[in-house]
């Protein structure tokens, strides 16, 4: 392990952040996809798994209800609902609540993914992964109460900076690698790594959010899900795959951080053309002038054959940690957040949400907690039915 911590040098490296309006940035947000192939269902994958030891809760059970919070504003929107900044009426702290429409989840066949998100998140305690404090439901929606991460998305910082200098990309990549290693040690595949899902805390360290596609799996699985730019060739090729798809995605992330765009990006490219390029592999692309070690690690992570991919070899994540591109990283100090982050979000106070883009506040919040027919409640047994009726 290196004596000199990476990143003791990092704060000297200026990040050039032009003041691009956030609304423009949001147009480039990439949607995640999820399709469970009909011939091979999720349940068939269970048969291939060795039995898994049930996950333990990382925090004591907390019972929340809508009336415990005052909703402040929207922080983000997703396929099934919104994430709001809220304030607890009891301890006056700020939290983020993700609200998901049960109807939309059922209609898009995401019930299992949503239940996975909740059970997995409540079992994880890691410095670089979002904390889930509790979850509940009312007649129409599911609610997940998380720590509020005020620094915004790494995506926003990257688009505003155009690209990151090598040591900055290395800092974020190293924190992501630690988080992935932790997830994999619990047999969890994350499956949606991208800058949009990496949030920055007040101290500039990362918090990975959005576990909507994460899954416990000790061996292989089949579901086509993730974000097209970040899909490993075996997912695109509809083959079975394992947690090494997360290491592949780390390779794409490093490429995107260093160059500003993902490896196979082309404006107005359709998904079929993108998938063809992913299948052919990164040696066919024109490489920007990265440092030799960076290129080498990206190629080892984006290896098309999972049995030869870094992170999936005999030494597992150890090979990634020991790669020369990471040679300056003091992994122990990094994990304990003793290393200063390269960029400190400008946050004026506890509930400051200026790092997030502004979303029109529709009147959906007025409907939260309202009595309604509830045909889907039993599909979500881990979300307690505790919501009060009426406004919050
Ligand atoms: N704990 C949090 N603190 C601050 N902001 C958050 C938090 N969780 C989520 N967000 C914001 O809300 C956005 C949407 O959250 P998330 O990705 O979890 O929702 P989603 O519905 O699963 O989205 P998608 O459909 O894109 O997968 C995030 O990109 C982020 O900007």
């Amino acid at each position: 392990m290196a004596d000199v911590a990476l990143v003791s040098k990092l704060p000297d490296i200026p990040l050039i952040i032009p003041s691009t309006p956030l609304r423009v940035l949001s147009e480039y947000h990439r949607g995640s996809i999820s399709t469970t192939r009909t011939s091979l269902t999720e349940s068939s994958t269970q048969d291939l798994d060795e039995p898994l030891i049930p996950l333990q809760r990382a925090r004591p059970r907390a019972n929340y209800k809508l009336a415990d919070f005052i909703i402040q504003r929207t922080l983000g929107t997703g396929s099934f609902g919104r994430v709001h900044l809220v304030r607890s009426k009891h301890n006056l702290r700020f939290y983020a609540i993700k609200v998901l429409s049960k109807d939309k989840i059922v209609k898009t066949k995401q019930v299992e993914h949503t239940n996975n998100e909740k059970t997995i998140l409540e079992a994880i305690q890691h410095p670089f992964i979002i904390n889930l404090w509790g979850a509940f439901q009312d007649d129409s929606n599911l609610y997940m109460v998380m720590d509020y991460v005020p620094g915004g998305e790494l995506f926003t910082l990257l688009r505003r900076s155009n690209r990151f200098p090598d040591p900055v990309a290395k800092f974020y990549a190293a924190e992501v690698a630690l988080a992935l290693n932790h997830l994999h040690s619990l047999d969890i595949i994350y499956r949606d790594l991208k800058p949009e899902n990496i949030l920055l805390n007040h101290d500039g360290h990362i918090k990975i959010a959005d576990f909507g596609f994460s899954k416990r799996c000790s061996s292989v699985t089949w579901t086509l899900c993730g974000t097209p730019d970040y899909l490993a060739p075996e997912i695109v090729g509809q083959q079975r795959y394992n947690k090494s798809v997360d290491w592949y995605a780390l390779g794409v992330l490093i490429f995107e951080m260093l160059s500003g765009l993902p490896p196979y990006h082309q404006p107005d490219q359709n998904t079929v053309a993108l998938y063809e390029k992913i299948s052919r592999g990164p040696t066919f692309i024109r490489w920007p002038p990265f440092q030799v070690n960076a290129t080498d690690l990206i190629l080892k992570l984006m290896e098309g054959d999972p049995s030869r991919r870094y992170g999936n070899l005999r030494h597992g994540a150890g090979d990634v940690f020991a790669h020369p591109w990471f040679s300056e990283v003091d992994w122990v100090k990094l994990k304990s957040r003793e290393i200063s982050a390269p960029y400190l979000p400008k946050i004026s106070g506890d509930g400051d949400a200026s790092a997030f883009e502004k979303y029109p506040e529709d009147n959906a919040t007025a409907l939260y907690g309202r009595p309604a027919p509830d045909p889907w409640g039993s599909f979500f047994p881990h979300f307690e039915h505790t919501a009060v009726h009426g406004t919050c």
Side-chain angles (χ1 to χ4, degrees), residues 287-301:
W287 280 72
F290 298 154
Q291 285 194 5
V292 178
N293 283 335
T295 304
D296 185 71
L297 178 59
I298 294 168
L299 284 172
K300 287 187 158 102
L301 292 168

Side-chain angles (χ1 to χ4, degrees), residues 3 5 17 22 89 92 108 141 147-148 150 172 175 190 224 231 239 245 255 277 287 318 329 335 379 384:
D3 286 317
I17 306 179
L22 288 173
K89 291 178 186 170
L92 302 184
T108 52
N141 297 304
D147 275 340
Y148 170 49
Y172 294 125
E175 293 202 337
Y190 175 60
L224 171 58
L231 293 181
Q239 293 154 20
V245 296
F255 188 107
K277 288 185 194 164
W287 280 72
V329 178
K335 188 171 178 194
F379 285 32
E384 280 188 49

Side-chain angles (χ1 to χ4, degrees), residues 76 78-79 83 96 98 130 146-149 153 196 199 210 356:
S79 330
V83 177
K98 182 164 170 172
I130 196 105
M146 302 170 277
D147 275 340
Y148 170 49
V149 186
E153 298 173 10
E196 292 90 323
L199 304 180
D210 195 356
F356 292 85

Side-chain angles (χ1 to χ4, degrees), residues 57-184:
R57 300 176 69 91
R59 287 162 287 279
R61 180 183 293 277
N63 290 328
Y64 294 101
K65 56 190 181 309
L66 208 45
D68 293 330
F69 302 97
I70 301 165
I71 295 181
Q72 312 263 309
R73 55 161 282 189
T74 300
L75 296 167
T77 56
S79 330
F80 314 106
R82 285 175 174 249
V83 177
H84 299 282
L85 173 66
V86 301
R87 190 164 202 185
S88 161
K89 291 178 186 170
H90 308 291
N91 62 16
L92 302 184
R93 291 210 186 113
F94 290 92
Y95 295 88
I97 289 195
K98 182 164 170 172
V99 185
L100 303 157
S101 154
K102 288 194 260 189
D103 202 49
K104 281 191 194 155
I105 292 169
V106 172
K107 287 190 174 135
T108 52
K109 299 190 169 65
Q110 298 301 306
V111 173
E112 188 177 345
H113 286 166
T114 308
N115 283 319
N116 283 347
E117 177 170 18
K118 190 258 178 191
T119 41
I120 286 174
L121 262 183
E122 74 183 358
I124 298 170
Q125 185 123 44
H126 190 271
F128 305 137
I129 297 175
I130 196 105
N131 261 350
L132 177 76
W133 289 103
F136 55 92
Q137 62 176 302
D138 62 19
D139 291 341
S140 306
N141 297 304
L142 307 175
Y143 301 83
M144 287 194 253
V145 182
M146 302 170 277
D147 275 340
Y148 170 49
V149 186
E153 298 173 10
L154 187 68
F155 176 85
T156 309
L157 183 65
L158 179 57
R159 289 293 180 272
R160 284 178 158 192
S161 317
N162 288 329
R163 64 183 72 89
F164 293 152
D166 184 272
V168 175
K170 194 177 316 205
F171 173 86
Y172 294 125
E175 293 202 337
V176 169
L178 284 174
L180 290 182
N181 183 42
H182 180 70
L183 292 174
H184 294 172

Side-chain angles (χ1 to χ4, degrees), residues 281-352:
T283 43
F284 290 93
I285 56 179
R286 203 146 42 93
W287 280 72
F290 298 154
Q291 285 194 5
V292 178
N293 283 335
T295 304
D296 185 71
L297 178 59
I298 294 168
L299 284 172
K300 287 187 158 102
L301 292 168
M302 289 183 69
E303 163 64 51
D305 175 355
S307 70
R308 294 155 52 111
R309 185 175 300 153
Y310 253 43
N312 197 33
L313 308 178
R314 198 155 55 94
H315 301 296
D319 287 325
V320 179
F321 297 149
H323 187 275
W325 191 57
F326 284 132
S327 62
E328 317 98 293
V329 178
D330 182 330
W331 294 97
V332 174
K333 283 192 173 161
L334 190 70
K335 188 171 178 194
S336 54
R337 280 179 296 191
E338 284 173 56
I339 290 170
S340 318
Y343 165 74
L344 268 192
K346 291 178 193 67
I347 294 158
S348 61
D350 268 356
D352 181 3

